[in-house]
Amino acid sequence: EYLEHLVSRIEEHWDPLVAESQAALKTTVFFKILQDGTVSEAYVEASSGLISFDRAALKAIVDASPIVPLPEAFRSDHLGVYFDFEY
């Protein structure tokens, strides 16, 4: 349930701003979710090769913050997430 909310929240902020392209694009963004749902340390882990696409992916993560707080049963002070964006 938490991951479904996470994906939905990021999708609300995802706008790839990509002109029609023959090539498939994929970028991976890494970020941490702190206990209170705040996103920190977001960066592009694997570039698509198109800077504007990578920036749009990173922006979607940053703009989605805060996510809902981590579940109380989660013992760590943060959750590390690798999130793929594809077009």
Side-chain angles (χ1 to χ4, degrees):
E1 186 176 305
Y2 186 86
L3 293 179
E4 288 175 6
H5 179 79
L6 172 66
V7 170
S8 176
R9 181 89 172 128
I10 293 170
E11 285 177 344
E12 290 173 10
H13 293 77
W14 172 232
D15 183 6
L17 303 170
V18 176
E20 287 188 38
S21 172
Q22 298 292 332
L25 298 172
K26 179 180 176 183
T27 189
T28 302
V29 175
F30 175 81
F31 59 98
K32 291 182 180 180
I33 303 173
L34 306 181
Q35 278 288 340
D36 67 356
T38 302
V39 170
S40 72
E41 300 181 39
Y43 62 89
V44 173
E45 173 74 18
S47 176
S48 66
L50 185 62
I51 292 172
S52 61
F53 186 80
D54 295 348
R55 285 183 182 161
L58 192 56
K59 183 178 182 334
I61 299 296
V62 171
D63 289 353
S65 183
I67 311 289
V68 293
L70 293 174
E72 288 184 25
F74 193 78
R75 301 267 186 225
S76 180
D77 64 344
H78 72 275
L79 172 65
V81 178
Y82 290 92
F83 200 93
D84 292 334
F85 291 83
E86 296 183 32
Y87 180 83

